[in-house]
Amino acid sequence: MDTELDLAYNHCQHVAKEHGKNFYYGFRMLPYLKRRAIYAAYAFCRYCDDIADDDLPQEEKKRRLDHTRELLTASWSGQATNPLFAALVHACHTFSIPDHYFQEVIEGVEMDLSWTRFQNFDQLYTYCYKVASSVGLICIEIFGYEDRKVLDYAVDFGVAMQLTNIIRDIRE
């Protein structure tokens, strides 16, 4: 019989399978504990992105992101009321993932709601860091590393990937 935690991770796996088919099959190659943790991280990022992509007024999106922040904070203090957040916090404790990475994801998604232009590269870099590099930093904590230089590589790779994504969007 599955525990509540198993059901929470199953929920995250379902989200990954439904929304990130390419990611899902890549994740399947990971060892069990890492696979579950990456499903939880993916489900969280998808949850935040879905709020931003919903056809709702900006104020409602902002309210939902504020609520997401509250759920994350409550879950971090042991009061998870949502399976996604229960799995996420368990994964964070298992792999020593700092909660501020997830806060940065939320902040980056919030930037999507109000920013359409960046005044300079520093602003663009901050946005790229929050929406992409923070995800890379989450992932390397799950994958594991020995050399702290990997942190810098994850940040640079995230910025590069997000800049590439933006350039593709410009063409569209």
Side-chain angles (χ1 to χ4, degrees), residues 9 33-34 36-38 40-42 72 76 87-103 105 134-145:
Y9 275 115
L33 291 178
K34 291 181 181 191
R36 287 182 5 148
I38 207 77
Y42 176 87
L72 185 61
W76 209 262
L88 184 70
V89 169
H90 181 265
C92 289
H93 291 314
T94 301
F95 291 97
S96 302
I97 306 168
D99 69 323
H100 70 88
Y101 291 155
F102 298 95
Q103 297 291 348
V105 170
S134 56
V135 176
L137 292 166
I138 291 165
C139 290
I140 65 168
E141 294 300 332
I142 295 168
F143 299 148
Y145 58 92

Side-chain angles (χ1 to χ4, degrees), residues 100-153:
H100 70 88
Y101 291 155
F102 298 95
Q103 297 291 348
E104 288 168 344
V105 170
I106 295 169
E107 291 168 12
V109 172
E110 284 177 325
M111 290 173 77
D112 265 338
L113 300 182
S114 57
W115 291 34
T116 56
R117 286 204 183 281
F118 299 96
Q119 300 302 313
N120 54 49
F121 186 75
D122 288 340
Q123 287 181 345
L124 177 59
Y125 180 90
T126 298
Y127 169 74
C128 292
Y129 176 90
K130 289 178 186 267
V131 297
S133 296
S134 56
V135 176
L137 292 166
I138 291 165
C139 290
I140 65 168
E141 294 300 332
I142 295 168
F143 299 148
Y145 58 92
E146 293 177 13
D147 189 336
R148 296 213 33 97
K149 289 180 187 175
V150 169
L151 296 165
D152 294 332
Y153 298 147

Side-chain angles (χ1 to χ4, degrees), residues 2 41 55 67 72 115 125 165:
D2 287 337
D55 190 22
H67 182 66
L72 185 61
W115 291 34
Y125 180 90
N165 206 20

